[in-house]
Amino acid sequence: MREAQAQRSGLGDTLIWDLNTITADFGQVLRGLTRYEPGNALPAGFVHSEYRWLVEGSDYLGRVSIRHSLTDSLREYGGHIGYEIRPSARRRGYGTLILRLALERARELGIGPVLITCDVDNFGSRGVIEANGGVLEGEFEVPQHQDKPIRRYWVTLPGSED
Ligand SMILES: CC(C)(COP(=O)(O)OP(=O)(O)OC[C@H]1O[C@@H](n2cnc3c(N)ncnc32)[C@H](O)[C@@H]1OP(=O)(O)O)[C@@H](O)C(=O)NCCC(=O)NCCS
């Protein structure tokens, strides 16, 4: 697994998962990633969601999470879609690509308009959202995230205008 090689060679990449856990039981990791998909019982306060990975060949580039609906809390902060590109693959357009693909998936799912939030000073994420047609609702202080304001953007997908 090249991710493992990158970590071991000290290239500075990070994973949200512990490498030992992944290699010990990858199936368990995948089951964990699908636990909130439709058809599964949800813990209180959770909504159905799905994860997708962006890969190139055998290389993992990033991940995206698509929430199928919003709770009051997600409406305030978090939104429908969250994403991350691995550090060594940033600033090459993959963030813009992963959000574009996620918006296509959101359209398939009938989600819309789509809410995406980011910290005011997350200029990479701002660029990604704006490149995908995000329209700024405004900057807000929210209780879930007290150290800095957030920006809320909306993307209206074709067919979700109403
Ligand atoms: C935010 C993130 C996904 C951006 O991914 P990326 O692959 O670097 O994004 P892109 O290469 O598609 O860049 C999109 C735009 O943002 C700009 N940009 C990217 N990173 C930037 C940075 N750190 N500072 C300023 N601008 C930045 C790019 O220049 C590009 O603009 P351009 O098209 O005018 O050149 C990535 O930095 C990341 O994973 N960050 C950590 C997790 C995170 O913040 N997720 C979002 C939570 S809301």
Side-chain angles (χ1 to χ4, degrees):
M1 188 183 201
R2 289 206 200 162
E3 183 77 35
Q5 286 161 6
Q7 278 209 335
R8 289 191 190 115
S9 65
L11 295 179
D13 257 339
T14 59
L15 275 175
I16 59 164
W17 304 281
D18 171 65
L19 197 53
N20 293 325
T21 310
I22 287 189
T23 45
D25 192 348
F26 190 58
Q28 177 63 30
V29 172
L30 294 182
R31 282 190 291 282
L33 289 174
T34 56
R35 67 191 182 283
Y36 300 133
E37 291 193 358
N40 295 329
L42 293 174
F46 279 67
V47 296
H48 287 299
S49 62
E50 60 187 55
Y51 283 98
R52 292 289 182 267
W53 287 356
L54 184 68
V55 297
E56 191 165 53
S58 60
D59 287 340
Y60 169 92
L61 296 175
R63 67 192 171 93
V64 62
S65 165
I66 304 170
R67 269 83 66 170
H68 294 189
S69 57
L70 297 176
T71 59
D72 288 347
S73 175
L74 286 170
R75 168 68 181 80
E76 204 161 26
Y77 172 61
H80 286 101
I81 297 178
Y83 41 82
E84 179 186 55
I85 297 299
R86 64 187 284 182
S88 62
R90 290 181 190 169
R91 314 270 331 224
R92 289 193 237 154
Y94 290 126
T96 302
L97 174 63
I98 206 169
L99 180 58
R100 181 169 66 73
L101 295 171
L103 289 168
E104 284 176 14
R105 177 68 183 141
R107 186 181 171 196
E108 278 173 16
L109 290 165
I111 303 169
V114 175
L115 175 65
I116 309 154
T117 69
C118 69
D119 291 356
V120 282
D121 60 356
N122 190 339
F123 296 101
S125 195
R126 285 169 55 160
V128 163
I129 300 167
E130 287 165 15
N132 277 286
V135 175
L136 184 66
E137 179 187 337
E139 295 187 352
F140 304 90
E141 308 268 356
V142 294
Q144 303 96 317
H145 193 64
Q146 290 177 338
D147 57 332
K148 62 186 76 155
I150 59 128
R151 290 187 142 210
R152 276 190 211 123
Y153 289 92
W154 293 90
V155 178
T156 302
L157 301 171
S160 74
E161 291 88 352
D162 297 332

